[in-house]
Short mmCIF file of all heavy atoms in Angstrom, two decimals:
data_model
loop_
_atom_site.label_atom_id
_atom_site.label_comp_id
_atom_site.label_asym_id
_atom_site.label_seq_id
_atom_site.Cartn_x
_atom_site.Cartn_y
_atom_site.Cartn_z
N PHE A 1 -102.73 21.75 224.90
CA PHE A 1 -103.05 22.07 223.45
C PHE A 1 -101.76 21.74 222.63
O PHE A 1 -100.59 22.16 222.99
CB PHE A 1 -103.31 23.53 223.36
CG PHE A 1 -104.63 23.92 224.03
CD1 PHE A 1 -104.54 24.32 225.34
CD2 PHE A 1 -105.88 24.00 223.29
CE1 PHE A 1 -105.81 24.64 226.06
CE2 PHE A 1 -106.89 24.34 224.04
CZ PHE A 1 -106.96 24.61 225.29
N VAL A 2 -101.94 20.87 221.57
CA VAL A 2 -100.76 20.44 220.84
C VAL A 2 -101.03 20.79 219.36
O VAL A 2 -102.03 20.49 218.72
CB VAL A 2 -100.54 18.92 220.95
CG1 VAL A 2 -99.47 18.43 220.10
CG2 VAL A 2 -100.29 18.57 222.45
N THR A 3 -100.11 21.41 218.68
CA THR A 3 -100.12 21.71 217.30
C THR A 3 -99.64 20.55 216.46
O THR A 3 -98.65 19.85 216.86
CB THR A 3 -99.36 22.97 216.92
OG1 THR A 3 -98.00 22.86 217.37
CG2 THR A 3 -99.92 24.24 217.42
N ASP A 4 -100.22 20.28 215.34
CA ASP A 4 -99.78 19.34 214.41
C ASP A 4 -99.39 19.94 213.22
O ASP A 4 -99.92 20.98 212.71
CB ASP A 4 -100.96 18.29 214.13
CG ASP A 4 -100.59 16.88 213.76
OD1 ASP A 4 -99.38 16.78 213.39
OD2 ASP A 4 -101.40 15.96 213.82
N GLN A 5 -98.20 19.62 212.53
CA GLN A 5 -97.71 20.19 211.37
C GLN A 5 -98.69 20.40 210.32
O GLN A 5 -98.54 21.26 209.51
CB GLN A 5 -96.45 19.39 210.99
CG GLN A 5 -95.69 20.06 209.77
CD GLN A 5 -94.45 19.30 209.38
OE1 GLN A 5 -94.06 18.34 210.07
NE2 GLN A 5 -93.76 19.80 208.39
N THR A 6 -99.63 19.39 210.14
CA THR A 6 -100.60 19.37 209.13
C THR A 6 -101.76 20.48 209.23
O THR A 6 -102.60 20.57 208.41
CB THR A 6 -101.20 18.02 208.90
OG1 THR A 6 -101.56 17.54 210.22
CG2 THR A 6 -100.14 17.16 208.27
N GLY A 7 -101.67 21.14 210.42
CA GLY A 7 -102.63 22.31 210.60
C GLY A 7 -103.62 22.22 211.65
O GLY A 7 -104.51 23.24 211.77
N GLU A 8 -103.63 21.19 212.46
CA GLU A 8 -104.68 21.00 213.45
C GLU A 8 -104.05 21.42 214.81
O GLU A 8 -102.89 21.05 215.14
CB GLU A 8 -105.24 19.64 213.54
CG GLU A 8 -105.84 19.22 212.22
CD GLU A 8 -104.92 18.70 211.16
OE1 GLU A 8 -103.69 18.50 211.58
OE2 GLU A 8 -105.25 18.55 210.05
N LEU A 9 -104.86 22.14 215.71
CA LEU A 9 -104.53 22.35 217.04
C LEU A 9 -105.41 21.42 217.85
O LEU A 9 -106.71 21.71 217.97
CB LEU A 9 -104.83 23.88 217.43
CG LEU A 9 -104.68 24.29 218.73
CD1 LEU A 9 -103.38 23.84 219.47
CD2 LEU A 9 -104.96 25.76 219.02
N TRP A 10 -104.72 20.39 218.45
CA TRP A 10 -105.50 19.42 219.21
C TRP A 10 -105.56 19.70 220.73
O TRP A 10 -104.78 20.40 221.30
CB TRP A 10 -104.93 18.06 219.01
CG TRP A 10 -104.77 17.48 217.62
CD1 TRP A 10 -103.66 17.56 216.72
CD2 TRP A 10 -105.90 17.03 216.90
NE1 TRP A 10 -104.04 16.95 215.54
CE2 TRP A 10 -105.45 16.70 215.49
CE3 TRP A 10 -107.25 16.81 217.11
CZ2 TRP A 10 -106.20 16.09 214.49
CZ3 TRP A 10 -108.08 16.16 216.10
CH2 TRP A 10 -107.50 15.82 214.95
N VAL A 11 -106.60 19.23 221.25
CA VAL A 11 -106.83 19.33 222.76
C VAL A 11 -106.66 17.89 223.37
O VAL A 11 -107.15 16.90 222.96
CB VAL A 11 -108.22 19.74 223.10
CG1 VAL A 11 -108.46 19.74 224.64
CG2 VAL A 11 -108.48 21.20 222.61
N VAL A 12 -105.76 17.89 224.40
CA VAL A 12 -105.44 16.65 225.10
C VAL A 12 -105.92 16.77 226.53
O VAL A 12 -105.61 17.71 227.24
CB VAL A 12 -103.93 16.24 225.15
CG1 VAL A 12 -103.54 15.05 225.93
CG2 VAL A 12 -103.29 16.30 223.65
N THR A 13 -106.69 15.83 226.95
CA THR A 13 -107.33 15.67 228.25
C THR A 13 -106.80 14.41 228.99
O THR A 13 -105.96 13.68 228.36
CB THR A 13 -108.78 15.83 228.32
OG1 THR A 13 -109.36 14.63 227.72
CG2 THR A 13 -109.30 17.00 227.43
N ASP A 14 -107.40 14.12 230.07
CA ASP A 14 -106.88 12.95 230.80
C ASP A 14 -107.56 11.75 229.94
O ASP A 14 -107.01 10.54 230.22
CB ASP A 14 -107.65 12.86 232.13
CG ASP A 14 -107.04 13.93 233.09
OD1 ASP A 14 -105.90 14.36 232.86
OD2 ASP A 14 -107.74 14.23 234.10
N ASP A 15 -108.39 11.92 229.02
CA ASP A 15 -108.93 10.88 228.23
C ASP A 15 -108.19 10.74 226.90
O ASP A 15 -108.47 9.92 225.98
CB ASP A 15 -110.47 11.06 227.90
CG ASP A 15 -111.20 10.91 229.26
OD1 ASP A 15 -110.90 10.17 230.12
OD2 ASP A 15 -112.27 11.73 229.23
N GLY A 16 -107.14 11.54 226.77
CA GLY A 16 -106.27 11.44 225.46
C GLY A 16 -106.72 12.60 224.49
O GLY A 16 -107.16 13.73 224.87
N LEU A 17 -106.50 12.35 223.21
CA LEU A 17 -106.71 13.24 222.25
C LEU A 17 -108.16 13.48 221.85
O LEU A 17 -108.93 12.40 221.64
CB LEU A 17 -106.01 12.86 220.94
CG LEU A 17 -105.73 13.94 219.78
CD1 LEU A 17 -104.62 14.97 220.28
CD2 LEU A 17 -105.30 13.20 218.54
N GLN A 18 -108.86 14.61 221.95
CA GLN A 18 -110.12 14.81 221.52
C GLN A 18 -110.36 14.58 219.94
O GLN A 18 -109.45 14.74 219.26
CB GLN A 18 -110.62 16.19 221.88
CG GLN A 18 -110.84 16.51 223.43
CD GLN A 18 -111.41 17.83 223.78
OE1 GLN A 18 -111.52 18.63 222.92
NE2 GLN A 18 -111.79 17.88 224.96
N ASP A 19 -111.56 14.24 219.67
CA ASP A 19 -111.89 13.80 218.36
C ASP A 19 -111.82 14.93 217.33
O ASP A 19 -111.31 14.79 216.24
CB ASP A 19 -113.25 13.19 218.21
CG ASP A 19 -113.43 11.81 218.97
OD1 ASP A 19 -112.25 11.22 219.10
OD2 ASP A 19 -114.42 11.51 219.31
N GLU A 20 -112.19 16.16 217.70
CA GLU A 20 -112.15 17.29 216.90
C GLU A 20 -111.11 18.33 217.34
O GLU A 20 -110.95 18.51 218.52
CB GLU A 20 -113.53 17.97 216.90
CG GLU A 20 -114.60 17.14 216.32
CD GLU A 20 -114.41 16.77 214.84
OE1 GLU A 20 -113.87 17.53 214.03
OE2 GLU A 20 -114.80 15.58 214.43
N PRO A 21 -110.49 18.95 216.37
CA PRO A 21 -109.40 19.91 216.87
C PRO A 21 -109.96 21.31 217.49
O PRO A 21 -111.25 21.58 217.08
CB PRO A 21 -108.71 20.20 215.52
CG PRO A 21 -109.67 19.93 214.50
CD PRO A 21 -110.53 18.73 214.97
N PHE A 22 -109.29 21.87 218.28
CA PHE A 22 -109.74 23.13 218.81
C PHE A 22 -109.74 24.21 217.69
O PHE A 22 -110.55 25.16 217.74
CB PHE A 22 -108.77 23.52 219.92
CG PHE A 22 -109.10 24.87 220.72
CD1 PHE A 22 -110.02 24.72 221.74
CD2 PHE A 22 -108.39 25.94 220.41
CE1 PHE A 22 -110.36 25.87 222.47
CE2 PHE A 22 -108.71 27.09 221.22
CZ PHE A 22 -109.70 27.08 222.21
N LEU A 23 -108.74 24.09 216.78
CA LEU A 23 -108.68 25.03 215.66
C LEU A 23 -108.06 24.28 214.53
O LEU A 23 -107.13 23.43 214.71
CB LEU A 23 -107.88 26.31 216.06
CG LEU A 23 -107.73 27.24 214.97
CD1 LEU A 23 -108.94 28.13 214.71
CD2 LEU A 23 -106.56 28.20 215.32
N ASP A 24 -108.54 24.56 213.34
CA ASP A 24 -107.98 23.95 212.18
C ASP A 24 -107.65 25.03 211.18
O ASP A 24 -108.50 25.71 210.60
CB ASP A 24 -108.98 22.92 211.44
CG ASP A 24 -108.31 22.01 210.35
OD1 ASP A 24 -107.30 22.46 209.86
OD2 ASP A 24 -109.03 21.02 210.02
N VAL A 25 -106.35 25.20 210.85
CA VAL A 25 -105.93 26.21 209.87
C VAL A 25 -105.23 25.53 208.63
O VAL A 25 -104.49 26.20 207.95
CB VAL A 25 -104.84 27.16 210.55
CG1 VAL A 25 -105.51 27.91 211.63
CG2 VAL A 25 -103.58 26.40 211.03
N SER A 26 -105.48 24.20 208.46
CA SER A 26 -105.02 23.41 207.30
C SER A 26 -105.23 24.25 206.00
O SER A 26 -104.50 24.05 205.04
CB SER A 26 -105.44 22.04 207.36
OG SER A 26 -106.82 21.94 207.26
N ASP A 27 -106.45 24.84 205.87
CA ASP A 27 -106.81 25.48 204.57
C ASP A 27 -105.98 26.76 204.40
O ASP A 27 -106.14 27.42 203.41
CB ASP A 27 -108.34 25.81 204.61
CG ASP A 27 -108.81 26.61 205.74
OD1 ASP A 27 -108.10 26.80 206.76
OD2 ASP A 27 -110.02 27.26 205.60
N ARG A 28 -105.31 27.35 205.37
CA ARG A 28 -104.46 28.43 205.38
C ARG A 28 -102.95 28.23 205.09
O ARG A 28 -102.18 29.12 204.86
CB ARG A 28 -104.67 29.41 206.57
CG ARG A 28 -106.14 29.68 206.81
CD ARG A 28 -106.47 30.39 208.06
NE ARG A 28 -107.80 30.18 208.44
CZ ARG A 28 -108.69 30.97 209.12
NH1 ARG A 28 -108.01 32.09 209.68
NH2 ARG A 28 -109.85 30.67 209.42
N LEU A 29 -102.64 26.99 205.17
CA LEU A 29 -101.24 26.50 205.08
C LEU A 29 -100.78 26.59 203.66
O LEU A 29 -101.53 26.24 202.72
CB LEU A 29 -101.02 25.21 205.71
CG LEU A 29 -101.17 24.94 207.21
CD1 LEU A 29 -100.75 23.53 207.49
CD2 LEU A 29 -100.47 25.96 208.02
N VAL A 30 -99.41 26.75 203.47
CA VAL A 30 -98.96 26.39 202.24
C VAL A 30 -99.10 24.91 201.98
O VAL A 30 -99.09 24.15 202.85
CB VAL A 30 -97.40 26.84 202.17
CG1 VAL A 30 -96.60 26.02 203.23
CG2 VAL A 30 -96.74 26.76 200.77
N GLU A 31 -99.09 24.48 200.63
CA GLU A 31 -99.33 22.97 200.48
C GLU A 31 -97.96 22.41 200.80
O GLU A 31 -96.93 22.60 200.13
CB GLU A 31 -99.72 22.81 199.01
CG GLU A 31 -99.94 21.22 198.67
CD GLU A 31 -100.34 21.11 197.24
OE1 GLU A 31 -100.57 22.12 196.48
OE2 GLU A 31 -100.46 19.94 196.89
N LEU A 32 -98.04 21.60 201.70
CA LEU A 32 -96.82 20.85 202.22
C LEU A 32 -96.35 19.78 201.11
O LEU A 32 -97.13 19.14 200.53
CB LEU A 32 -96.96 20.10 203.49
CG LEU A 32 -97.49 20.82 204.67
CD1 LEU A 32 -97.66 20.04 206.01
CD2 LEU A 32 -96.58 22.06 204.96
#
């Protein structure tokens, strides 16, 4: 599991980065 500064929590498997994030909190972030 990898966090992205822009608000997405990504899942990484043997196939690479999954298309959809495990969790997205970008709508709760301060505006970067």
Side-chain angles (χ1 to χ4, degrees):
F1 297 84
V2 179
T3 51
D4 211 340
Q5 188 178 352
T6 48
E8 300 82 14
L9 173 58
W10 298 105
V11 176
V12 178
T13 68
D14 292 340
D15 297 324
L17 198 71
Q18 289 189 348
D19 293 337
E20 297 297 327
F22 185 79
L23 180 73
D24 189 343
V25 296
S26 56
D27 60 344
R28 305 174 201 206
L29 296 185
V30 64
E31 183 179 354
L32 301 184

